[in-house]
Amino acid sequence: MIDVLRILAAPLLWLAAFSAIYGLQGLGCAQGWDATADGPPPLRVLLIGGWGLTILLQAALLWSLRTDRFGASAPFVRRVSVLGGWTGLVASLWSLLPVATTTLCAAEIV
């Protein structure tokens, strides 16, 4: 059962981070966090921080899947879990990139 967790850990981490970051963006836009100077940190800072944390977590997970302590003993499971780790890292870099490069909240259409 632990081998299934090793294989699915990186994609599940990506799924959780994707949902959390884009949910935070929607909440921040709905609450007007991008336009206010007081209150929480600027929305862009929160989102880029979440993106950076996701990248760090994915890289740490990938590194740990390659070690003898946390990696699988079966060669096939080790290869698949490391490939899943790379997939999670690339997916996090690519799918969360718009957080750092695009406008946050669309203007209201009246």
Side-chain angles (χ1 to χ4, degrees):
M1 187 60 137
I2 194 75
D3 287 340
V4 174
L5 180 62
R6 283 185 180 107
I7 291 170
L8 293 177
L12 289 175
L13 177 59
W14 168 81
L15 176 67
F18 183 87
S19 300
I21 289 174
Y22 281 104
L24 179 63
Q25 181 184 14
L27 178 68
C29 288
Q31 297 296 321
W33 291 351
D34 61 325
T36 61
D38 57 341
L43 182 58
R44 171 108 33 217
V45 172
L46 292 173
L47 295 174
I48 291 175
W51 184 46
L53 179 63
T54 300
I55 300 305
L56 289 174
L57 289 173
Q58 286 285 8
L61 179 60
L62 177 61
W63 176 79
S64 68
L65 289 172
R66 297 177 61 118
T67 63
D68 289 335
R69 182 175 180 192
F70 296 110
S73 58
F76 175 75
V77 175
R78 182 178 285 264
R79 277 181 289 200
V80 171
S81 63
V82 168
L83 182 61
W86 279 110
T87 302
L89 180 61
V90 171
S92 296
L93 283 166
W94 181 256
S95 66
L96 298 175
L97 179 68
V99 167
T101 60
T102 61
T103 58
L104 292 177
C105 303
E108 286 187 35
I109 300 173
V110 179

